[in-house]
Amino acid sequence: MKSNRRDLSISVLTMAVRGALATMAAVVAMPQAALADGDPGAAALINPDNYVEIGGIFTSQDSSKFGEYNGLDKKGGHVLGNFSVSGGDSYAEKPGIDRWSIYGNNLGTDSRQVGAAVSAQDKWSFSIDYDELRHNITDSYRTPYQSSLGGNTFTLPSNFGTIDPNGTASLTANQLAAYHQMDVYSKRQNTSISAGYNFNREWNLKFDYKHIEQTGSKLISSASDSISDGLGENVAMLLTPTEYQTDNFNLAVNWGSDKGFFSAGYYGSLFHDDYNHLTWDNPFLNVNTNAGSSPESMSTPPSNQFHQLNFSGGYFFTPATRLVGGLSYARNTQNESYAGTYTPGLATPPISSLNAAVIMKHADLKLSNQTTQKLNLSAGFTYNERDNNTASAIYPFQTIGGDSPTPVNIPLSWKHTQAELAGSYRLDDRQHLHAAYNYDKFERWCNTSPALYAAGGSQPVNGGTYPTPTSCAQVPKQVDNILSLDYRLMATDTVNFNAGYAYSKRNSDVNPYFYNPMQSFDEGFENMGFLAFFQASRKENRVRMGVDWQATEKFDLSLSGKYTQDDYDATLGVQQGKSSSINLDATYAYSEKATVSAYATVQRRTRDLTNGQGQYPLQPLTALWTNNLTDNELTLGLSAKQKGLMGERLDLAEGITYSLGKTDYSTAAGANYTCVDSTTCGVFPTIKNEMISFRISGGYKIDKASKVMVGYQYQHLTSNDPTQYDYYQYGYSATVLPAYLQAPSYNQNLVYVAYRYDMK
C-alpha cells in the first residue's frame, strides 16, 4: 500500500531546499508533466519540459523559525520564479546525441539555484550549478556588544562599566540601554562543476568540484574563567563568525563489464577559516582588581585538509554469485598556530600548534549467492579505523579556584570491525523469511608516550594518586552480538503482514585504571562507575509488526508498530531506555478524481538514569540521585485532493496537520543525597511544542500552455522550554549575561499566486 504521510506533511514552507515556489507545485501535486498521459519521467526524456513560472508570496508576520530555511522570515511580499529550458538534436526522437539545458529555481529567495548542463550522449557531459541557502537562527537575540554579523571582535560601549558582584540581576540604566536586537543567521553559497568523459563502453572518467562559502554567525556561549568574584563562571552569549571556505574535489576512473566493475578515485576537502579566534570585552567585575578583565579570546574552527584515496570493485563469478568490496585510505591534518589573547590563567602553550594528524582506513567485502530459487545467502565484512596521531603536550593553567593542574591532551583512536551472515528463504509463494547474525566490535586506544601521560596522572587527587598503569580509554573494547529475524506473509490477495524481532547483547570491558589527564585535579573528574550509555554493557530487545490491507479498490489501510527496550549494566549512568511507536495510514478514493487521506503517529521514549553528587575520583559515589526523562509525540494529518473540476481545468488540494511534542523529566533523591531546592529535585516544567497547519491550494489551466496557481496557508506554533530560555532573561541569573532569547512561537498567514507558461 502506498503511504500518503509524506504528502500530508509537506507544506508550502517546509521544503527548504526546493524553495517556496517549487513547494507550491508539490502541494498542489499537479505539475504540467503530471497532467499529461503516461509516465512524465519517460516523457521528459523524449520531449523537454520547458517552462517559466513567476509568482509571489505574502507573509503576515516576521518569524525566523517559520522562515528558518526558505527565506520567508520577514513580513511582506516576496517575488519568486522558476524556469527550465532544454534543447538539442537528441530530443523528439531525432538522430543526434547532443543535449543542453539551463534552469533556475526559487529565484527571488535566499534558497535560489541556477545552473546549466551540456552533454553528448555516451560521450561526454559538463554542468555548472550555483545555489544559496540561508539558515535564519533567531530574531530574538539581544546583546550589549558592538559588532557586525560575521565579525570576530566584540566590544562594549565606553560607558558600560562593569557588572558588580550582585551579578546580571541588577544591571545599570546605561548597561540596559546598550542592548540592541540582532537577527542571527548563517548563509551558504555553493558553486559546483561536474564533468565526465566516456572513453568507450567500459571506461569513463568523472570529475566533481564544489566551492562552498559560508558567511554570517552562529550563537555560542563562553565562561569567563578569569573571574574570582565568588559567583562562579560568568557566562556571555556571543556571535561566533562562520566565515568559512571549503573546496571539495572528487576524481574517479571507472571500468565496468558484464563480469564486474572497478573504480579508483581521489577525494579532497580543503577547509579555510578567515579567522582563528574571536575576542570580547569581559563585562564582569574581578574583585581582585576591582576592575573589568582584559579582553578574552576563544578559538574558531581551525583550517584543515582532508585527502582520501578510494578503490572499489566487484566480480560476478556467475549470475548467482557476486563479490563486491572497497578500500580507502585518508589523512586529515591541521597545524594552525595558537593565536589570540587567551584567559590570563592559561600559561604559554608548550608548543606553537597542535600538529594534528588523523589517519583513516576502511575496507569492506561482501559475497552474495542465489543458492536456489528460494534461498539467498550473503556474508559481509567491514573495517574502519581512525588512528589519531596528534601530538600530546602538557598545558598548565590556573583555575578560578586557584588550582594549578597540568592536563595532557590525549588523542583517542579507535577501530570498528563488523561482520554479517544473512540468509533469505522463500517458504512458498506467500511467505518469506530473513535471518541475520551481526558481529560488532569497537576498540579504543591512545597514541601517547607513557612518560607524558604519567605527568598528568601523577597529580595528587584527594590525598592520593591514580594507580598505574592508567589508560585514557574507559572502555577499551566492546563487542555486540546481534540476532535478527524478519517474516513477511501475504495472508490474502489484499492483506500483507510483516513482523520482526532482534536481540542484541553488548559486552564492554571497563578499565579500572581509567584516568582522563585533561582534568588532572579534583574538579570535574568523571565519577567512578559512570559509563556513557553507548559504551556500557547492554541487552536490547526490538520488536516490530505491520499490516497492510487493500480493503477495496478505493480504500487502503496500513497499521504498524515498533517497541525497543534497552537494559544497561552500569553502576552509574543510564539504567534503562524504552521506545515505542504506532503508525496508522489510510486513503480513500471516493471518486475517480478525488481522494482523502489521513494518518496518525504516536511515539513515546523513556530513559532512567542514576548518578551521584560530589568529587570522588578514587572511589564510588555514595550520594546518589535518579532522573527520569520521558518524550511523548503525537502527529495527526488529514488531506484531500480533487482533480478535473470545471471542465478538467481546476485541481484543488486541502490539508490540515496537528503535532504535539512533550518532554518531562524529574529528579529524585537517592541514598545519602540531600535536595538543595526545587532546582535539584522534583518534577520540572514540561517542555512543549505544539503546531497546527492548514492549507488550501488550487491550479487552474487557462489553456494548454498556461496555468495559474493560488493558495493560502495558516500555521501556528507554540513552544515552551522554561528550563532553557529562562536563563537568558534579565533578572533570572546572577552569572549569565542576559541575551533575551525566546522560545520560537508564531501565528503565520501566507497567501501565494503563481503563473506558469509551458513552452512547446
Side-chain angles (χ1 to χ4, degrees), residues 3-16 23 26-28 66 70 585 597-601 634-641 654-659 691-695 713-715 746:
S3 173
N4 292 281
R5 179 181 174 185
R6 186 167 188 161
D7 291 336
L8 284 165
S9 61
I10 290 176
S11 69
V12 175
L13 295 171
T14 55
M15 293 186 62
T23 308
V27 173
V28 178
F66 183 77
N70 54 40
D585 195 344
S597 302
Y599 77 90
T601 298
L634 169 68
T635 306
L636 303 173
L638 180 67
S639 68
K641 296 179 182 179
E654 309 84 30
I656 185 169
T657 303
Y658 173 80
S659 65
M691 189 191 76
I692 185 168
S693 177
F694 168 77
R695 63 184 183 275
Q713 178 174 344
Y714 168 78
Q715 189 159 302
Y746 57 77

Side-chain angles (χ1 to χ4, degrees), residues 191-244:
T191 303
S192 59
I193 297 174
S194 298
Y197 183 78
N198 297 333
F199 298 98
N200 51 47
R201 288 185 174 272
E202 294 184 340
W203 290 92
N204 66 72
L205 182 70
K206 292 191 178 296
F207 172 75
D208 296 298
Y209 167 74
K210 177 176 285 188
H211 177 73
I212 305 171
E213 292 192 11
Q214 191 168 347
T215 58
S217 298
K218 296 180 180 180
L219 293 174
I220 191 171
S221 292
S222 178
S224 299
D225 287 340
S226 61
I227 307 304
S228 299
D229 56 9
L231 295 176
E233 294 185 333
N234 300 79
V235 177
M237 179 169 285
L238 307 168
L239 292 169
T240 181
T242 57
E243 300 296 313
Y244 310 145

